[in-house]
PDB file of all heavy atoms in Angstrom:
ATOM      1  N   ALA A 189     -25.430 -11.346 -27.120  1.00 70.00           N
ATOM      2  CA  ALA A 189     -24.983 -11.950 -28.371  1.00 70.00           C
ATOM      3  C   ALA A 189     -24.182 -10.962 -29.206  1.00 70.00           C
ATOM      4  O   ALA A 189     -24.579  -9.816 -29.398  1.00 70.00           O
ATOM      5  CB  ALA A 189     -26.199 -12.436 -29.157  1.00 70.00           C
ATOM      6  N   ALA A 190     -23.036 -11.402 -29.682  1.00 58.00           N
ATOM      7  CA  ALA A 190     -22.218 -10.576 -30.552  1.00 58.00           C
ATOM      8  C   ALA A 190     -22.906 -10.454 -31.907  1.00 58.00           C
ATOM      9  O   ALA A 190     -23.724 -11.285 -32.291  1.00 58.00           O
ATOM     10  CB  ALA A 190     -20.842 -11.203 -30.731  1.00 58.00           C
ATOM     11  N   GLU A 191     -22.593  -9.393 -32.622  1.00 56.00           N
ATOM     12  CA  GLU A 191     -23.142  -9.191 -33.961  1.00 56.00           C
ATOM     13  C   GLU A 191     -22.719 -10.338 -34.867  1.00 56.00           C
ATOM     14  O   GLU A 191     -21.544 -10.706 -34.915  1.00 56.00           O
ATOM     15  CB  GLU A 191     -22.622  -7.878 -34.555  1.00 56.00           C
ATOM     16  CG  GLU A 191     -23.103  -6.644 -33.835  1.00 56.00           C
ATOM     17  CD  GLU A 191     -24.602  -6.456 -33.974  1.00 56.00           C
ATOM     18  OE1 GLU A 191     -25.114  -6.611 -35.094  1.00 56.00           O
ATOM     19  OE2 GLU A 191     -25.259  -6.167 -32.962  1.00 56.00           O
ATOM     20  N   THR A 192     -23.642 -10.924 -35.597  1.00 55.00           N
ATOM     21  CA  THR A 192     -23.285 -12.042 -36.477  1.00 55.00           C
ATOM     22  C   THR A 192     -23.319 -11.624 -37.941  1.00 55.00           C
ATOM     23  O   THR A 192     -23.126 -12.433 -38.831  1.00 55.00           O
ATOM     24  CB  THR A 192     -24.239 -13.237 -36.264  1.00 55.00           C
ATOM     25  OG1 THR A 192     -25.574 -12.771 -36.410  1.00 55.00           O
ATOM     26  CG2 THR A 192     -24.041 -13.849 -34.890  1.00 55.00           C
ATOM     27  N   LYS A 193     -23.592 -10.371 -38.197  1.00 57.00           N
ATOM     28  CA  LYS A 193     -23.625  -9.848 -39.555  1.00 57.00           C
ATOM     29  C   LYS A 193     -22.797  -8.569 -39.572  1.00 57.00           C
ATOM     30  O   LYS A 193     -22.893  -7.755 -38.657  1.00 57.00           O
ATOM     31  CB  LYS A 193     -25.079  -9.502 -39.936  1.00 57.00           C
ATOM     32  CG  LYS A 193     -25.499 -10.174 -41.220  1.00 57.00           C
ATOM     33  CD  LYS A 193     -26.904  -9.956 -41.719  1.00 57.00           C
ATOM     34  CE  LYS A 193     -27.893  -9.104 -40.986  1.00 57.00           C
ATOM     35  NZ  LYS A 193     -29.138  -8.962 -41.783  1.00 57.00           N
ATOM     36  N   THR A 194     -21.968  -8.382 -40.562  1.00 59.00           N
ATOM     37  CA  THR A 194     -21.211  -7.142 -40.651  1.00 59.00           C
ATOM     38  C   THR A 194     -22.112  -6.050 -41.230  1.00 59.00           C
ATOM     39  O   THR A 194     -23.232  -6.316 -41.687  1.00 59.00           O
ATOM     40  CB  THR A 194     -19.986  -7.299 -41.565  1.00 59.00           C
ATOM     41  OG1 THR A 194     -20.451  -7.608 -42.867  1.00 59.00           O
ATOM     42  CG2 THR A 194     -19.065  -8.401 -41.082  1.00 59.00           C
ATOM     43  N   ALA A 195     -21.639  -4.818 -41.208  1.00 62.00           N
ATOM     44  CA  ALA A 195     -22.403  -3.680 -41.721  1.00 62.00           C
ATOM     45  C   ALA A 195     -22.844  -3.925 -43.170  1.00 62.00           C
ATOM     46  O   ALA A 195     -23.957  -3.571 -43.578  1.00 62.00           O
ATOM     47  CB  ALA A 195     -21.559  -2.411 -41.649  1.00 62.00           C
ATOM     48  N   SER A 196     -22.008  -4.575 -43.954  1.00 67.00           N
ATOM     49  CA  SER A 196     -22.325  -4.825 -45.362  1.00 67.00           C
ATOM     50  C   SER A 196     -23.153  -6.084 -45.559  1.00 67.00           C
ATOM     51  O   SER A 196     -23.385  -6.524 -46.686  1.00 67.00           O
ATOM     52  CB  SER A 196     -21.027  -4.920 -46.169  1.00 67.00           C
ATOM     53  OG  SER A 196     -20.180  -5.880 -45.575  1.00 67.00           O
TER      54      SER A 196
END
Side-chain angles (χ1 to χ4, degrees):
Chain A
E191 294 294 315
T192 53
K193 234 179 0 174
T194 62
S196 54

